[in-house]
Amino acid sequence: MRAVITIAHHTARRFLASIPALLGVLVFTFLMMRVLPGDPAVFFASDPNAGPEEIEQMRKTLGLDRPLPVQMAYYFRDIATGNLGRSMTTGQPVVTDLAERLPASLELTVTALVLALSLALPLGVLAALYPGTLLDHAVRFVCSLGVCVPTFVSGLVLIYVFYVILGIAPDPTGRLGAFDAPPPGITGLLLVDFLIVGDFESWRSALSQLILPASTMALFVLAPLARMTRASMLAVLGSDFIRTAHSLGLSRRKVIITYGLRNALLPVITITGVVFSTMLGANVLVEKVFAWPGVGSYALDALLASDYAPVQGFVLLMASVFVLVNLTVDTLYGIADPRVTIE
Amino acid sequence: MSATLRHAVWVIRGNPITGVAVAGLSFLIGIALFAPWIQPYDPLASNVQMALQPPSAAHWAGTDQLGRDILSRLIAATRLDLAIAASAVAVSFVIGAVIGSISGYMGGRVDRVVGRIVDVFMAFPLFVMAMAMVAVLGNRVENIIIATAFINLPFYIRFARAEVNVRRGAGWVEAARACGDSHMQVVLLSLLPNILPAMVVQITLNLGWAILNAAGLSFLGLGVTAPTAEWGIMVAEGARFILSGQWWLVAFPGAALMFTVLCFNLVGDGLRDVLDPRMRT
């Protein structure tokens, strides 16, 4: 119980500490929006040939005639009430659009992260157990390659091999197969929704759509995860308590997993947080290659159409997710290693 | 032979891959320098009759949808991509090292504020920030450089800060002050040169990342525009033909990107072994 309270306390303190960063992001996006080319008043004035008076009127309605700090206060108020403006391309409020598309991005990113971790942890541990062997070099080689191939190239290569040549992957566009009806939107995560409804046929089809993009992304982040696991595991395996555990006659499995891996996990958790935020950015590229209807491709389309409200919403969303991820990482610290919270 | 050089030879002997990477990098730089003289065709000359030809003796890497020779375009792109990455990294290194070391040297409130600002920037998804910057500033090569330099900046500031912070209390800093050097002189003439070796490793690893960034931006249609030969945009144009089986449009620029980044990363790792054996992982 005490440990839980310490962790909660620690997390709350970290959350407070991240508020200045979030405020900074808000101020920056606000200034960025003001620098952007194009006069919103001209755009929103209904008639393309609107006279100067009409534009002036519009400017007043939009609050653009006020001094900058006042505008910023309005901006903060809008954001606090969840009003991120309206997308000019889709005609919908940005919040609605983002909420609609976020599950697709989350499903892709989380699947990729799980995939990468389930490969990187065993590979890293194995490489640390047999350093200098062929296995170690092979892991290092795969990792060095993975980090060098841009996601948009590896995605296209996977499409070429598995769809064009082998024909075992489905048409690489979107989240749903051509003949599948979307499930009722419960969570928005297709894999979860199809399971709830009990439609296993469509579940498999959605999974097969997901595999290629998720592998593309997993390949890209495999290297930092495996490398960190190896390095940290090597350091732990060389320490005294491991030798003691061995000499006490504990099983090899117990020594490596319970004593070794748990102690080696802390830096891996840190790097996982960093990797997750890199993936949020890399999402844009992968979503573009696979025509994945996530927030990244939404922001990109808006950006290319000079429609800036969605871009701003996207940046804010990503920054908030980033802060959330950091908080989770801090909480996981406390669980993985109780010593961290005792300061 | 100096000790460092001997150590470098020892490292390369122990890890011949670094030697290969150095050779690969020199090869790339050679191509970039002599691009206009070694490209077999004009990288921009289209010839619709020869469109989408697979690799052959006349066109080693095939031709694209407009009949342009892919090998020539690859060579021209090497020059552009390396130039973009090098200038972006140079800009962020110079600005970042100066801001970071001044902040680290001064310490106190200034240092805390700088640290906070850096934290804020790193809270952004940086690639997205680069996208937005290029969109705001306009689709030009300079703007890719500015955006890439900008998103690299926090890393250099943080790195220089940390490195200077460790050294500011050192005896030789005090000695320099005692000899009558101003604070500025201490930072620029004593501290900066001292953290340079560690930063060189950072720069090399960063160059690969900068190339990936720049290519990613052009792939999305931000930055370098259509007829120009650039690896990212070549992949983007070739992506449309991958479903009909014309793999060479994507494969060659993709391989060029991979090879370049791999060389930078391996050389960076090798340099780290030479300059700072403790940081090996």
Side-chain angles (χ1 to χ4, degrees):
Chain A
M1 194 57 215
R2 209 152 148 230
V4 176
I5 293 174
T6 341
I7 290 174
H9 181 80
H10 185 70
T11 312
R13 222 179 44 207
R14 290 289 308 188
F15 180 68
L16 290 180
S18 65
I19 285 180
L22 264 184
L23 279 179
V25 169
L26 280 178
V27 173
F28 186 82
T29 38
F30 170 77
L31 291 177
M32 199 174 77
M33 296 296 287
R34 290 296 162 275
V35 182
L36 291 174
D39 187 344
V42 176
F43 188 89
F44 278 111
S46 43
D47 189 357
N49 308 318
E53 316 84 63
E54 252 175 281
I55 292 177
E56 203 46 51
Q57 186 59 40
M58 200 63 208
R59 191 164 280 143
K60 217 161 249 159
T61 342
L62 290 171
L64 291 174
D65 55 337
R66 309 292 190 85
L68 214 54
V70 178
Q71 285 190 37
M72 189 139 89
Y74 280 134
Y75 170 75
F76 280 175
R77 191 199 59 198
D78 281 353
I79 285 176
T81 53
N83 175 11
L84 292 178
R86 194 173 274 275
S87 160
M88 299 173 194
T89 27
T90 64
Q92 293 202 71
V94 170
V95 180
T96 321
D97 278 346
L98 286 177
E100 221 165 73
R101 285 155 163 272
L102 184 62
S105 294
L106 279 184
E107 192 168 41
L108 174 60
T109 314
V110 172
T111 312
L113 190 65
V114 170
L115 199 63
L117 276 175
S118 59
L119 275 174
L121 283 178
L123 283 180
V125 171
L126 279 177
L129 284 177
Y130 308 104
T133 58
L134 198 64
L135 185 89
D136 185 20
H137 288 301
V139 171
R140 180 180 292 237
F141 180 73
V142 171
C143 289
S144 315
L145 276 189
V147 83
C148 294
V149 191
T151 43
F152 52 91
V153 174
S154 52
L156 289 169
V157 170
L158 287 181
I159 290 177
Y160 184 68
V161 173
F162 290 101
Y163 175 66
V164 179
I165 293 190
L166 298 176
I168 49 177
D171 182 19
T173 39
R175 305 167 75 191
L176 275 171
F179 306 107
D180 293 309
I186 303 167
T187 58
L189 306 170
L190 288 187
L191 291 185
V192 178
D193 285 357
F194 279 131
L195 268 190
I196 294 176
V197 182
D199 184 351
F200 295 104
E201 192 72 21
S202 308
W203 187 83
R204 200 170 308 131
S205 145
L207 182 67
S208 63
Q209 294 282 344
L210 184 61
I211 286 178
L212 284 192
S215 315
T216 305
M217 214 182 258
L219 198 67
F220 187 60
V221 297
L222 192 62
L225 295 174
R227 275 192 169 188
M228 190 49 90
T229 312
R230 176 182 179 274
S232 137
M233 197 68 190
L234 261 183
V236 169
L237 286 180
S239 56
D240 288 345
F241 67 89
I242 291 290
R243 197 186 48 201
T244 312
H246 272 305
S247 66
L248 285 174
L250 292 177
S251 70
R252 192 172 151 76
R253 188 191 164 79
K254 191 166 177 77
V255 173
I256 292 168
I257 305 293
T258 316
Y259 290 86
L261 189 59
R262 177 148 187 209
N263 277 290
L265 224 46
L266 214 55
V268 179
I269 293 177
T270 318
I271 208 88
T272 308
V274 176
V275 157
F276 194 86
S277 20
T278 333
M279 286 167 94
L280 291 177
N283 242 335
V284 183
L285 292 164
V286 178
E287 284 177 11
K288 161 108 172 150
V289 170
F290 289 93
W292 196 258
V295 281
S297 55
Y298 171 66
L300 177 68
D301 290 343
L303 198 59
L304 294 177
S306 304
D307 180 8
Y308 295 118
V311 180
Q312 168 199 273
F314 175 70
V315 170
L316 289 180
L317 177 70
M318 289 298 112
S320 326
V321 173
F322 180 87
V323 169
L324 271 182
V325 167
N326 273 348
L327 278 179
T328 318
V329 166
D330 280 337
T331 318
L332 284 179
Y333 269 0
I335 296 169
D337 189 345
R339 283 171 302 182
V340 172
T341 42
I342 303 168
E343 285 164 44
Chain B
M1 208 183 340
S2 77
T4 321
L5 202 60
R6 220 177 309 141
H7 185 59
V9 170
W10 180 77
V11 166
I12 287 184
R13 200 169 288 160
N15 188 359
I17 293 176
T18 308
V20 175
V22 171
L25 208 54
S26 323
F27 171 70
L28 283 170
I29 293 173
I31 287 186
L33 287 179
F34 300 107
W37 295 280
I38 49 178
Q39 53 202 21
Y41 300 86
D42 178 355
L44 296 180
S46 53
N47 176 3
V48 189
Q49 265 120 36
M50 289 294 288
L52 294 172
Q53 296 288 315
S56 62
H59 299 277
W60 290 3
T63 60
D64 68 4
Q65 74 281 7
L66 296 175
R68 295 173 295 196
D69 178 51
I70 292 184
L71 181 64
S72 308
R73 289 177 67 72
L74 282 178
I75 292 172
T78 309
R79 186 176 221 180
L80 182 59
D81 278 80
L82 287 187
I84 291 176
S87 6
V89 169
V91 170
S92 49
F93 161 67
V94 170
I95 300 177
V98 169
I99 295 181
S101 26
I102 291 178
S103 155
Y105 180 71
M106 288 174 71
R109 186 176 294 166
V110 177
D111 191 38
R112 274 206 299 280
V113 170
V114 170
R116 253 292 136 68
I117 294 176
V118 168
D119 281 349
V120 168
F121 277 111
M122 291 175 89
F124 268 80
L126 288 171
F127 185 71
V128 176
M129 187 139 114
M131 283 168 52
M133 279 188 77
V134 176
V136 171
L137 298 171
N139 273 356
R140 280 198 311 278
V141 174
E142 307 91 271
N143 296 334
I144 299 197
I145 295 175
I146 294 174
T148 310
F150 191 69
I151 64 173
N152 275 322
L153 201 55
F155 295 94
Y156 283 100
I157 295 181
R158 201 170 67 158
F159 193 80
R161 252 183 85 205
E163 293 288 316
V164 166
N165 221 344
V166 177
R167 291 168 170 81
R168 57 191 277 229
W172 45 267
V173 173
E174 245 171 85
R177 283 289 292 152
C179 288
D181 278 7
S182 68
H183 288 297
M184 211 58 205
Q185 277 172 318
V186 172
V187 171
L188 293 181
L189 301 178
S190 303
L191 282 168
L192 263 182
N194 204 268
I195 65 170
L196 210 54
M199 294 211 70
V200 167
V201 174
Q202 197 72 11
I203 288 174
T204 321
L205 294 173
N206 217 223
L207 276 166
W209 197 58
I211 286 185
L212 284 185
N213 257 320
L217 288 174
S218 329
F219 175 79
L220 294 176
L222 293 159
V224 181
T225 41
T228 319
E230 193 276 342
W231 291 330
I233 209 165
M234 288 173 76
V235 174
E237 287 177 349
R240 286 188 285 140
F241 300 94
I242 199 103
L243 290 183
S244 46
Q246 277 102 358
W247 53 271
W248 58 91
L249 270 73
V250 168
F252 290 109
L257 267 171
M258 190 183 108
F259 179 69
T260 313
V261 179
L262 185 67
C263 284
F264 276 122
N265 286 356
L266 290 175
V267 171
D269 284 345
L271 276 176
R272 175 157 55 198
D273 290 353
V274 177
L275 298 169
D276 188 2
R278 280 167 309 157
M279 300 228 320
R280 238 179 291 187
T281 53

